Amino acid sequence: MNHKPSADEKFIIPIGPQHPALKEPGHFEFSVDGEIVTGATVRLGYAHRGIEKATEERSWQQNAYILERICGICSHIHATAYTIGVERLAGVTISPRANTIRTLVAELERVHSHMLWWGVAAHEGGFDTLFMYTWRDRETIMDILENLSGNRVNYSANLLGGVKFDIDQKQVDMIRKGIDFLEERTHYYYQVITTDETFLGRTENIGTMTREQAESLGSVGPTARASGVERDIRVNAPYAAYTDFLIKMITDTAGDLKARFVVRLKELFESYRLIREMLDNLPEGELVVRVPRRIPEGETISRVEAPRGELFYYLASKGGDKPERIKVRTPTLPNWSSVLSVIVGHKLADVPMMLVGIDPCFSCNDRMITLQRKDNSDVWTWAKLRQYGIDYYK
Amino acid sequence: MNTLTTFLNLLIFPGGLFLLIISTVYEWVDRKLVARYQNRVGPRWFQPVADIVKLLAKEEIIPNGVRAELFIGLPAVALAAILASALYTPMFGLQPAFSFRGDLIVVLYLLSAMTLSLGLAGANTIDRFSLIGATRTLTQLFSYEAPFLLALLGPAIVAGTWQINEINAYTGTHLWILITQPVGFLVALIGLMGKLELPPFDAPEAETEIVSGALTEYSGRGLALFRIGKDIELVIGLTLISTFYLGGLSNPLWFVLKTGVLLVVVAGLQSLFARLRIDQTVGLWWRIGALLALFQLLAIIVLRLVL
């Protein structure tokens, strides 16, 4: 009260941890000059769940389930990255049919994730009609996934050594029908996002990131591809069934928000094509092959293309029935820097759309917290760590 | 006897109770229509009443750093201004309760007083979202106010009077002004949406950026009063536009039909567009809206001189 601001003091708009623009907790501070953003900082870690540590206490088989729950939107791809890694460590080759079903679910998941994203992005831009329409149509893909796996979100399609469910002819027909409908709708949405004047006013030339910036900031996924960086694990280092079913990399040169919309929507057309191709050429084979309970000693890296970009898993085994170490890097983490460096100079009204533009997933990337130690001790006792936690959240 | 009629006018019809009821009905229709356009179910018929009752029953929290008397007074001033302006409009297709020469200007002034109070209420707090919201509210006020005024002056000049009652009588007996001045109609309708901060002109209360704009710190009674004020402003705005452009309001049936059709159009416009940034709103009004309205006004004046 009665606070007299000094000349060098900044007017800071706090966004989060609780804010209507955020669906998950994160804290952003934007210093503004009128409507223009002059600086941005981010503080994450509100949804840290300690999953990496938890995996060290569980068996290899159990971990597939807990890792799938890292992300509620791209759950399948987490389990895929993990199972591919474990199978490589165990020296197991899974059947082509299991591989194809795994990839098929991954592509269906990409469709649902991208549709969810552009709905949310439209909502951030105040275009609620597009948001509602998109999410209504997205139900098609949710129904398909539920029919296949019994779940809408965490499908648990992956097992170590294969997949859990088969796809029969009836389901193939159902997926085809759903995909046909969605393709038609996606064409319509593509037309909306590339021609609607008010929407273009909010996306064109907003948040432009050049190719050089994208490369030096280490952006991944559609965010990088919208800036012309050719970075797609499905093409660069094919895994699962992407070796047999080739996908075309979609890039755009504009680097602005509109380009990110365009890239993601065009990716959907590729996904639809690939899904149809996989359904047409579903190979025969066993669903599951046996994977030993104890995984031989070794370490491996597993990279897959999540809907948001490159998902990176590091797995280390000491030969036991539990992993020695699992390290996950989700695509949101490398993408944050791109937002925070590009956002300066934009208007406050563009902030929510730019934040959402990378398709952030907060709880996914809240996996590591850097503790700033006041004294330079390297080892923290349990009591000290606990006290730090209490003070931190007080 | 005369005093009694005045009191009835102020408290029951067209002021007071009647406005409260009809504004909740219009709010419900608006919300339901937008919801249906957006493929949602929408609220039940009593939802606006329930919202207001709930807000009125809640504790009003006065935050630190505000001038309490302004914080409490401004919602009342806003509502009073809106209620007063209703007395000069042909509410429900009946004769206005009061009428004098130049009451059009008074009504427009009272409608702006509502927005001004909103801006002041936001600027009164030290909340950062409120401050940005207040700045945007007032910026928006300066952008749509002039075109909106010009758009309503068009019919007034044609009718040769600045008295709403007489304009109503004129438009009721002549060709709909919508046909002769379509540009003015468009500017007036979109100006009304800007006034009410409806999408796509909802930058002052863009929830994904500044939570609830100028009203972020308001709760309970104050928020309820502002909401009632806005709902009534919607009814008055629709009444004015149908009086001026849709051939006047001579009876309740025409009132319901004409304002109803306008409401359908307004709800459609709300769901068609993405939110405009505040700089885009200002640009739109001064580059296009004001020029169009001005051009139309000049055309009317020239035509009147020639004919």
Side-chain angles (χ1 to χ4, degrees), chain A residues 217-251:
Chain A
L217 293 168
S219 305
V220 293
T223 315
R225 290 199 284 277
S227 295
V229 181
E230 290 173 356
R231 196 172 283 167
D232 187 334
I233 306 299
R234 292 176 294 170
V235 178
N236 296 345
Y239 56 92
Y242 291 112
T243 45
D244 304 325
F245 302 94
L246 299 179
I247 198 143
K248 201 175 101 219
M249 195 187 307
I250 309 288
T251 53

Side-chain angles (χ1 to χ4, degrees), chain A residues 1 12-14 19-21 35 123-129 132-133 136 198 201-202 206 347 349-350 352, chain B residues 37-40 64-65 128-129 131-132 136 207-211 271-280:
Chain A
M1 230 201 299
I12 291 175
I13 301 287
H19 188 282
E35 289 270 329
H123 169 68
E124 303 288 345
F127 200 177
D128 278 355
T129 313
M132 298 291 169
Y133 274 45
R136 176 196 64 189
T198 52
R202 298 299 305 274
I206 303 293
K347 304 213 166 51
D350 295 325
Chain B
Y37 286 146
Q38 292 183 347
N39 224 284
R40 290 184 285 124
N64 280 343
R128 285 167 278 193
F129 301 123
L131 286 176
I132 297 247
R136 287 187 182 182
E207 63 155 17
T208 49
E209 299 152 30
I210 49 172
V211 186
S271 36
L272 265 181
F273 303 109
R275 183 188 299 131
L276 294 169
R277 281 198 313 259
I278 191 72
D279 57 311
Q280 290 173 332

